[in-house]
mmCIF file of all heavy atoms in Angstrom:
data_model
loop_
_atom_site.group_PDB
_atom_site.id
_atom_site.type_symbol
_atom_site.label_atom_id
_atom_site.label_comp_id
_atom_site.label_asym_id
_atom_site.label_seq_id
_atom_site.Cartn_x
_atom_site.Cartn_y
_atom_site.Cartn_z
ATOM 1 N N ASN N 1 132.791 85.379 28.649
ATOM 2 C CA ASN N 1 131.700 86.347 28.470
ATOM 3 C C ASN N 1 131.622 86.859 27.035
ATOM 4 O O ASN N 1 131.122 87.939 26.756
ATOM 5 C CB ASN N 1 131.865 87.513 29.426
ATOM 6 C CG ASN N 1 133.055 88.373 29.089
ATOM 7 O OD1 ASN N 1 134.019 87.875 28.546
ATOM 8 N ND2 ASN N 1 132.992 89.684 29.470
ATOM 9 N N ARG N 2 132.177 86.068 26.086
ATOM 10 C CA ARG N 2 132.173 86.455 24.693
ATOM 11 C C ARG N 2 131.468 85.380 23.881
ATOM 12 O O ARG N 2 131.502 84.219 24.198
ATOM 13 C CB ARG N 2 133.616 86.615 24.192
ATOM 14 C CG ARG N 2 134.393 87.721 24.855
ATOM 15 C CD ARG N 2 135.777 87.856 24.312
ATOM 16 N NE ARG N 2 136.537 88.943 24.894
ATOM 17 C CZ ARG N 2 137.805 89.220 24.606
ATOM 18 N NH1 ARG N 2 138.455 88.484 23.712
ATOM 19 N NH2 ARG N 2 138.384 90.214 25.221
ATOM 20 N N LEU N 3 130.865 85.866 22.759
ATOM 21 C CA LEU N 3 130.228 84.972 21.780
ATOM 22 C C LEU N 3 130.938 85.204 20.494
ATOM 23 O O LEU N 3 131.026 86.401 20.044
ATOM 24 C CB LEU N 3 128.730 85.194 21.672
ATOM 25 C CG LEU N 3 127.869 84.833 22.906
ATOM 26 C CD1 LEU N 3 126.416 85.186 22.615
ATOM 27 C CD2 LEU N 3 128.033 83.386 23.270
ATOM 28 N N SER N 4 131.403 84.159 19.831
ATOM 29 C CA SER N 4 131.992 84.291 18.496
ATOM 30 C C SER N 4 130.969 83.789 17.490
ATOM 31 O O SER N 4 130.492 82.654 17.560
ATOM 32 C CB SER N 4 133.240 83.466 18.399
ATOM 33 O OG SER N 4 134.251 84.017 19.252
ATOM 34 N N VAL N 5 130.639 84.678 16.546
ATOM 35 C CA VAL N 5 129.683 84.290 15.478
ATOM 36 C C VAL N 5 130.444 84.056 14.195
ATOM 37 O O VAL N 5 131.234 84.906 13.707
ATOM 38 C CB VAL N 5 128.664 85.480 15.237
ATOM 39 C CG1 VAL N 5 127.616 85.092 14.220
ATOM 40 C CG2 VAL N 5 128.007 85.876 16.555
ATOM 41 N N ILE N 6 130.296 82.827 13.682
ATOM 42 C CA ILE N 6 131.062 82.383 12.507
ATOM 43 C C ILE N 6 130.114 82.144 11.337
ATOM 44 O O ILE N 6 129.092 81.472 11.476
ATOM 45 C CB ILE N 6 131.856 81.097 12.841
ATOM 46 C CG1 ILE N 6 132.742 81.347 14.034
ATOM 47 C CG2 ILE N 6 132.607 80.598 11.652
ATOM 48 C CD1 ILE N 6 133.401 80.079 14.586
ATOM 49 N N GLY N 7 130.482 82.712 10.184
ATOM 50 C CA GLY N 7 129.680 82.463 8.988
ATOM 51 C C GLY N 7 130.039 83.519 7.951
ATOM 52 O O GLY N 7 130.975 84.290 8.104
ATOM 53 N N ASP N 8 129.214 83.544 6.863
ATOM 54 C CA ASP N 8 129.502 84.530 5.808
ATOM 55 C C ASP N 8 129.093 85.921 6.360
ATOM 56 O O ASP N 8 128.364 86.037 7.331
ATOM 57 C CB ASP N 8 128.765 84.224 4.526
ATOM 58 C CG ASP N 8 127.250 84.311 4.671
ATOM 59 O OD1 ASP N 8 126.759 85.444 4.827
ATOM 60 O OD2 ASP N 8 126.575 83.273 4.609
ATOM 61 N N ILE N 9 129.569 86.961 5.716
ATOM 62 C CA ILE N 9 129.491 88.303 6.318
ATOM 63 C C ILE N 9 128.029 88.761 6.562
ATOM 64 O O ILE N 9 127.746 89.343 7.628
ATOM 65 C CB ILE N 9 130.245 89.335 5.483
ATOM 66 C CG1 ILE N 9 130.297 90.666 6.171
ATOM 67 C CG2 ILE N 9 129.693 89.422 4.021
ATOM 68 C CD1 ILE N 9 131.281 91.645 5.562
ATOM 69 N N ALA N 10 127.132 88.498 5.624
ATOM 70 C CA ALA N 10 125.769 88.958 5.773
ATOM 71 C C ALA N 10 125.091 88.306 6.960
ATOM 72 O O ALA N 10 124.511 88.906 7.805
ATOM 73 C CB ALA N 10 124.984 88.758 4.481
ATOM 74 N N ALA N 11 125.212 86.932 6.966
ATOM 75 C CA ALA N 11 124.569 86.179 8.072
ATOM 76 C C ALA N 11 125.200 86.507 9.414
ATOM 77 O O ALA N 11 124.526 86.605 10.456
ATOM 78 C CB ALA N 11 124.665 84.699 7.802
ATOM 79 N N ARG N 12 126.517 86.719 9.386
ATOM 80 C CA ARG N 12 127.230 87.053 10.604
ATOM 81 C C ARG N 12 126.801 88.380 11.220
ATOM 82 O O ARG N 12 126.529 88.529 12.379
ATOM 83 C CB ARG N 12 128.759 87.064 10.321
ATOM 84 C CG ARG N 12 129.617 86.916 11.565
ATOM 85 C CD ARG N 12 131.044 86.731 11.141
ATOM 86 N NE ARG N 12 131.677 87.941 10.597
ATOM 87 C CZ ARG N 12 132.082 88.080 9.373
ATOM 88 N NH1 ARG N 12 131.963 87.076 8.519
ATOM 89 N NH2 ARG N 12 132.603 89.224 8.962
ATOM 90 N N GLU N 13 126.659 89.381 10.324
ATOM 91 C CA GLU N 13 126.252 90.695 10.803
ATOM 92 C C GLU N 13 124.828 90.685 11.343
ATOM 93 O O GLU N 13 124.486 91.273 12.360
ATOM 94 C CB GLU N 13 126.333 91.713 9.639
ATOM 95 C CG GLU N 13 127.745 92.065 9.325
ATOM 96 C CD GLU N 13 127.851 93.137 8.218
ATOM 97 O OE1 GLU N 13 126.736 93.532 7.712
ATOM 98 O OE2 GLU N 13 128.970 93.566 7.879
ATOM 99 N N GLN N 14 123.979 89.948 10.643
ATOM 100 C CA GLN N 14 122.550 89.884 11.036
ATOM 101 C C GLN N 14 122.460 89.089 12.381
ATOM 102 O O GLN N 14 121.716 89.563 13.306
ATOM 103 C CB GLN N 14 121.698 89.244 9.983
ATOM 104 C CG GLN N 14 120.201 89.459 10.206
ATOM 105 C CD GLN N 14 119.365 89.029 9.025
ATOM 106 O OE1 GLN N 14 119.787 88.101 8.291
ATOM 107 N NE2 GLN N 14 118.246 89.657 8.807
ATOM 108 N N ALA N 15 123.138 88.010 12.504
ATOM 109 C CA ALA N 15 123.087 87.240 13.762
ATOM 110 C C ALA N 15 123.681 88.044 14.883
ATOM 111 O O ALA N 15 123.143 87.992 16.044
ATOM 112 C CB ALA N 15 123.823 85.914 13.565
ATOM 113 N N SER N 16 124.741 88.799 14.650
ATOM 114 C CA SER N 16 125.306 89.617 15.693
ATOM 115 C C SER N 16 124.389 90.684 16.159
ATOM 116 O O SER N 16 124.242 90.985 17.357
ATOM 117 C CB SER N 16 126.634 90.251 15.184
ATOM 118 O OG SER N 16 127.569 89.289 14.808
ATOM 119 N N ALA N 17 123.615 91.254 15.212
ATOM 120 C CA ALA N 17 122.656 92.301 15.553
ATOM 121 C C ALA N 17 121.484 91.674 16.375
ATOM 122 O O ALA N 17 121.008 92.289 17.331
ATOM 123 C CB ALA N 17 122.113 92.944 14.260
ATOM 124 N N VAL N 18 121.101 90.455 16.039
ATOM 125 C CA VAL N 18 120.082 89.780 16.851
ATOM 126 C C VAL N 18 120.559 89.536 18.278
ATOM 127 O O VAL N 18 119.823 89.816 19.217
ATOM 128 C CB VAL N 18 119.745 88.403 16.203
ATOM 129 C CG1 VAL N 18 118.899 87.558 17.132
ATOM 130 C CG2 VAL N 18 119.006 88.608 14.874
ATOM 131 N N LEU N 19 121.777 89.082 18.420
ATOM 132 C CA LEU N 19 122.299 88.828 19.780
ATOM 133 C C LEU N 19 122.438 90.113 20.554
ATOM 134 O O LEU N 19 122.085 90.186 21.766
ATOM 135 C CB LEU N 19 123.636 88.176 19.672
ATOM 136 C CG LEU N 19 123.605 86.698 19.158
ATOM 137 C CD1 LEU N 19 124.992 86.216 18.756
ATOM 138 C CD2 LEU N 19 123.069 85.787 20.255
ATOM 139 N N ARG N 20 122.850 91.188 19.958
ATOM 140 C CA ARG N 20 122.941 92.507 20.621
ATOM 141 C C ARG N 20 121.560 92.969 21.081
ATOM 142 O O ARG N 20 121.366 93.443 22.185
ATOM 143 C CB ARG N 20 123.568 93.564 19.757
ATOM 144 C CG ARG N 20 125.058 93.382 19.435
ATOM 145 C CD ARG N 20 125.599 94.650 18.748
ATOM 146 N NE ARG N 20 126.952 94.463 18.303
ATOM 147 C CZ ARG N 20 127.298 94.145 17.081
ATOM 148 N NH1 ARG N 20 126.349 93.952 16.191
ATOM 149 N NH2 ARG N 20 128.538 94.062 16.731
ATOM 150 N N SER N 21 120.599 92.825 20.146
ATOM 151 C CA SER N 21 119.251 93.278 20.469
ATOM 152 C C SER N 21 118.664 92.503 21.629
ATOM 153 O O SER N 21 118.035 93.095 22.502
ATOM 154 C CB SER N 21 118.392 93.060 19.209
ATOM 155 O OG SER N 21 117.081 92.718 19.479
ATOM 156 N N LEU N 22 118.815 91.169 21.658
ATOM 157 C CA LEU N 22 118.296 90.375 22.728
ATOM 158 C C LEU N 22 118.959 90.629 24.055
ATOM 159 O O LEU N 22 118.289 90.644 25.072
ATOM 160 C CB LEU N 22 118.441 88.879 22.327
ATOM 161 C CG LEU N 22 117.590 88.438 21.100
ATOM 162 C CD1 LEU N 22 117.966 87.000 20.755
ATOM 163 C CD2 LEU N 22 116.116 88.595 21.357
ATOM 164 N N TYR N 23 120.249 90.928 23.981
ATOM 165 C CA TYR N 23 120.967 91.258 25.244
ATOM 166 C C TYR N 23 120.443 92.605 25.783
ATOM 167 O O TYR N 23 120.217 92.768 26.973
ATOM 168 C CB TYR N 23 122.453 91.348 25.016
ATOM 169 C CG TYR N 23 123.286 91.609 26.233
ATOM 170 C CD1 TYR N 23 123.636 90.530 27.086
ATOM 171 C CD2 TYR N 23 123.654 92.887 26.557
ATOM 172 C CE1 TYR N 23 124.399 90.775 28.216
ATOM 173 C CE2 TYR N 23 124.408 93.111 27.704
ATOM 174 C CZ TYR N 23 124.778 92.075 28.535
ATOM 175 O OH TYR N 23 125.507 92.320 29.683
ATOM 176 N N ALA N 24 120.223 93.575 24.879
ATOM 177 C CA ALA N 24 119.672 94.857 25.279
ATOM 178 C C ALA N 24 118.289 94.697 25.897
ATOM 179 O O ALA N 24 117.922 95.362 26.852
ATOM 180 C CB ALA N 24 119.615 95.798 24.077
ATOM 181 N N ARG N 25 117.528 93.777 25.345
ATOM 182 C CA ARG N 25 116.186 93.472 25.917
ATOM 183 C C ARG N 25 116.336 92.979 27.344
ATOM 184 O O ARG N 25 115.571 93.348 28.210
ATOM 185 C CB ARG N 25 115.534 92.429 24.988
ATOM 186 C CG ARG N 25 114.141 92.011 25.384
ATOM 187 C CD ARG N 25 113.659 90.861 24.477
ATOM 188 N NE ARG N 25 112.315 90.462 24.873
ATOM 189 C CZ ARG N 25 111.211 90.962 24.374
ATOM 190 N NH1 ARG N 25 111.260 91.898 23.442
ATOM 191 N NH2 ARG N 25 110.013 90.528 24.769
ATOM 192 N N LEU N 26 117.259 92.074 27.569
ATOM 193 C CA LEU N 26 117.514 91.529 28.912
ATOM 194 C C LEU N 26 117.958 92.647 29.847
ATOM 195 O O LEU N 26 117.581 92.631 31.072
ATOM 196 C CB LEU N 26 118.547 90.389 28.879
ATOM 197 C CG LEU N 26 118.108 89.110 28.220
ATOM 198 C CD1 LEU N 26 119.273 88.215 27.886
ATOM 199 C CD2 LEU N 26 117.137 88.372 29.131
ATOM 200 N N GLU N 27 118.747 93.603 29.372
ATOM 201 C CA GLU N 27 119.193 94.711 30.204
ATOM 202 C C GLU N 27 118.001 95.558 30.710
ATOM 203 O O GLU N 27 118.066 96.187 31.732
ATOM 204 C CB GLU N 27 120.179 95.565 29.472
ATOM 205 C CG GLU N 27 121.577 94.965 29.323
ATOM 206 C CD GLU N 27 122.564 95.945 28.694
ATOM 207 O OE1 GLU N 27 122.184 96.572 27.670
ATOM 208 O OE2 GLU N 27 123.695 96.085 29.237
ATOM 209 N N GLN N 28 116.960 95.530 29.927
ATOM 210 C CA GLN N 28 115.776 96.288 30.290
ATOM 211 C C GLN N 28 114.908 95.513 31.327
ATOM 212 O O GLN N 28 113.872 96.017 31.743
ATOM 213 C CB GLN N 28 114.896 96.561 29.050
ATOM 214 C CG GLN N 28 115.508 97.537 28.105
ATOM 215 C CD GLN N 28 114.552 97.807 26.927
ATOM 216 O OE1 GLN N 28 114.220 96.902 26.182
ATOM 217 N NE2 GLN N 28 114.097 99.052 26.806
ATOM 218 N N GLY N 29 115.308 94.311 31.644
ATOM 219 C CA GLY N 29 114.522 93.511 32.552
ATOM 220 C C GLY N 29 113.456 92.711 31.912
ATOM 221 O O GLY N 29 112.534 92.160 32.581
ATOM 222 N N ARG N 30 113.505 92.581 30.588
ATOM 223 C CA ARG N 30 112.487 91.842 29.868
ATOM 224 C C ARG N 30 113.008 90.416 29.557
ATOM 225 O O ARG N 30 114.211 90.192 29.602
ATOM 226 C CB ARG N 30 112.144 92.578 28.571
ATOM 227 C CG ARG N 30 111.548 93.946 28.830
ATOM 228 C CD ARG N 30 111.702 94.881 27.701
ATOM 229 N NE ARG N 30 110.817 94.528 26.578
ATOM 230 C CZ ARG N 30 110.915 95.100 25.373
ATOM 231 N NH1 ARG N 30 111.834 96.026 25.159
ATOM 232 N NH2 ARG N 30 110.084 94.755 24.456
ATOM 233 N N SER N 31 112.102 89.508 29.296
ATOM 234 C CA SER N 31 112.473 88.137 29.058
ATOM 235 C C SER N 31 112.891 87.940 27.606
ATOM 236 O O SER N 31 112.594 88.728 26.711
ATOM 237 C CB SER N 31 111.266 87.228 29.409
ATOM 238 O OG SER N 31 110.171 87.472 28.520
ATOM 239 N N VAL N 32 113.524 86.778 27.342
ATOM 240 C CA VAL N 32 113.846 86.339 25.994
ATOM 241 C C VAL N 32 113.366 84.913 25.879
ATOM 242 O O VAL N 32 113.903 84.001 26.533
ATOM 243 C CB VAL N 32 115.355 86.448 25.705
ATOM 244 C CG1 VAL N 32 115.683 85.701 24.388
ATOM 245 C CG2 VAL N 32 115.740 87.924 25.585
ATOM 246 N N VAL N 33 112.368 84.712 25.062
ATOM 247 C CA VAL N 33 111.838 83.365 24.794
ATOM 248 C C VAL N 33 111.882 83.128 23.290
ATOM 249 O O VAL N 33 112.295 84.007 22.514
ATOM 250 C CB VAL N 33 110.398 83.203 25.296
ATOM 251 C CG1 VAL N 33 110.359 83.354 26.811
ATOM 252 C CG2 VAL N 33 109.448 84.188 24.655
ATOM 253 N N ALA N 34 111.515 81.896 22.889
ATOM 254 C CA ALA N 34 111.657 81.542 21.493
ATOM 255 C C ALA N 34 110.955 82.526 20.533
ATOM 256 O O ALA N 34 111.454 82.884 19.488
ATOM 257 C CB ALA N 34 111.114 80.120 21.245
ATOM 258 N N GLY N 35 109.741 82.974 20.918
ATOM 259 C CA GLY N 35 108.998 83.909 20.120
ATOM 260 C C GLY N 35 109.741 85.231 19.944
ATOM 261 O O GLY N 35 109.686 85.852 18.897
ATOM 262 N N ASP N 36 110.405 85.706 21.025
ATOM 263 C CA ASP N 36 111.126 86.965 20.931
ATOM 264 C C ASP N 36 112.321 86.816 19.983
ATOM 265 O O ASP N 36 112.610 87.746 19.242
ATOM 266 C CB ASP N 36 111.648 87.363 22.362
ATOM 267 C CG ASP N 36 110.501 87.546 23.326
ATOM 268 O OD1 ASP N 36 109.481 88.092 22.937
ATOM 269 O OD2 ASP N 36 110.676 87.116 24.481
ATOM 270 N N ILE N 37 113.006 85.670 20.003
ATOM 271 C CA ILE N 37 114.145 85.442 19.131
ATOM 272 C C ILE N 37 113.613 85.392 17.672
ATOM 273 O O ILE N 37 114.214 86.000 16.778
ATOM 274 C CB ILE N 37 114.819 84.105 19.487
ATOM 275 C CG1 ILE N 37 115.366 84.170 20.905
ATOM 276 C CG2 ILE N 37 115.953 83.817 18.541
ATOM 277 C CD1 ILE N 37 115.797 82.862 21.484
ATOM 278 N N ASP N 38 112.513 84.698 17.445
ATOM 279 C CA ASP N 38 111.930 84.623 16.117
ATOM 280 C C ASP N 38 111.583 85.987 15.607
ATOM 281 O O ASP N 38 111.844 86.345 14.446
ATOM 282 C CB ASP N 38 110.703 83.703 16.139
ATOM 283 C CG ASP N 38 110.056 83.575 14.760
ATOM 284 O OD1 ASP N 38 110.712 83.007 13.890
ATOM 285 O OD2 ASP N 38 108.883 84.025 14.582
ATOM 286 N N GLY N 39 110.988 86.827 16.466
ATOM 287 C CA GLY N 39 110.625 88.188 16.090
ATOM 288 C C GLY N 39 111.842 89.007 15.778
ATOM 289 O O GLY N 39 111.833 89.765 14.775
ATOM 290 N N ALA N 40 112.881 88.899 16.564
ATOM 291 C CA ALA N 40 114.120 89.647 16.317
ATOM 292 C C ALA N 40 114.746 89.267 14.962
ATOM 293 O O ALA N 40 115.215 90.104 14.206
ATOM 294 C CB ALA N 40 115.131 89.423 17.433
ATOM 295 N N MET N 41 114.702 87.968 14.625
ATOM 296 C CA MET N 41 115.272 87.506 13.363
ATOM 297 C C MET N 41 114.450 87.977 12.179
ATOM 298 O O MET N 41 114.956 88.339 11.141
ATOM 299 C CB MET N 41 115.428 85.982 13.376
ATOM 300 C CG MET N 41 116.544 85.503 14.283
ATOM 301 S SD MET N 41 116.870 83.743 14.178
ATOM 302 C CE MET N 41 115.454 83.069 14.991
ATOM 303 N N ARG N 42 113.103 87.948 12.341
ATOM 304 C CA ARG N 42 112.256 88.393 11.254
ATOM 305 C C ARG N 42 112.401 89.904 10.978
ATOM 306 O O ARG N 42 112.353 90.314 9.856
ATOM 307 C CB ARG N 42 110.778 88.100 11.590
ATOM 308 C CG ARG N 42 110.396 86.604 11.512
ATOM 309 C CD ARG N 42 108.974 86.471 12.085
ATOM 310 N NE ARG N 42 108.562 85.104 12.162
ATOM 311 C CZ ARG N 42 107.677 84.520 11.335
ATOM 312 N NH1 ARG N 42 107.218 85.173 10.306
ATOM 313 N NH2 ARG N 42 107.333 83.262 11.515
ATOM 314 N N MET N 43 112.517 90.656 12.074
ATOM 315 C CA MET N 43 112.546 92.125 11.958
ATOM 316 C C MET N 43 113.927 92.665 11.782
ATOM 317 O O MET N 43 114.122 93.856 11.575
ATOM 318 C CB MET N 43 111.894 92.748 13.173
ATOM 319 C CG MET N 43 110.490 92.371 13.423
ATOM 320 S SD MET N 43 109.321 93.063 12.229
ATOM 321 C CE MET N 43 109.444 94.810 12.613
ATOM 322 N N GLY N 44 114.922 91.830 11.910
ATOM 323 C CA GLY N 44 116.310 92.279 12.046
ATOM 324 C C GLY N 44 116.919 92.873 10.800
ATOM 325 O O GLY N 44 116.665 92.435 9.682
ATOM 326 N N ARG N 45 117.749 93.866 11.033
ATOM 327 C CA ARG N 45 118.617 94.402 9.963
ATOM 328 C C ARG N 45 119.981 94.625 10.554
ATOM 329 O O ARG N 45 120.129 94.994 11.723
ATOM 330 C CB ARG N 45 118.019 95.745 9.489
ATOM 331 C CG ARG N 45 116.648 95.593 8.853
ATOM 332 C CD ARG N 45 116.046 96.940 8.603
ATOM 333 N NE ARG N 45 114.735 96.753 8.015
ATOM 334 C CZ ARG N 45 113.620 96.565 8.697
ATOM 335 N NH1 ARG N 45 113.694 96.466 10.031
ATOM 336 N NH2 ARG N 45 112.457 96.449 8.130
ATOM 337 N N PRO N 46 121.055 94.445 9.758
ATOM 338 C CA PRO N 46 122.386 94.659 10.276
ATOM 339 C C PRO N 46 122.545 96.062 10.828
ATOM 340 O O PRO N 46 122.014 97.008 10.290
ATOM 341 C CB PRO N 46 123.262 94.419 9.065
ATOM 342 C CG PRO N 46 122.467 93.611 8.134
ATOM 343 C CD PRO N 46 121.051 93.992 8.355
ATOM 344 N N MET N 47 123.279 96.209 11.959
ATOM 345 C CA MET N 47 123.558 97.536 12.464
ATOM 346 C C MET N 47 125.005 97.607 12.839
ATOM 347 O O MET N 47 125.662 96.595 13.062
ATOM 348 C CB MET N 47 122.648 97.835 13.678
ATOM 349 C CG MET N 47 122.879 96.975 14.907
ATOM 350 S SD MET N 47 121.667 97.395 16.154
ATOM 351 C CE MET N 47 122.519 96.753 17.621
#
């Protein structure tokens, strides 16, 4: 039940934030499709 994100620190933090965001979206009962992932990556900032 774990995901390991490997890469340089900036990309790793941003990708981790994307994954957290998409998981939170699923917790709300909403879907995750390619467009949602693209939107999360475009709008994403490390958190």
Side-chain angles (χ1 to χ4, degrees):
N1 67 333
R2 297 179 180 180
L3 294 179
S4 294
V5 184
I6 302 171
D8 67 67
I9 186 167
R12 199 171 71 246
E13 287 182 358
Q14 194 170 29
S16 298
V18 168
L19 290 164
R20 290 191 188 98
S21 147
L22 296 173
Y23 185 84
R25 182 185 179 91
L26 289 165
E27 285 187 313
Q28 291 182 298
R30 299 156 72 188
S31 64
V32 168
V33 297
D36 301 318
I37 299 168
D38 181 65
M41 288 187 288
R42 288 172 185 256
M43 300 291 292
R45 296 170 182 83
M47 67 184 200

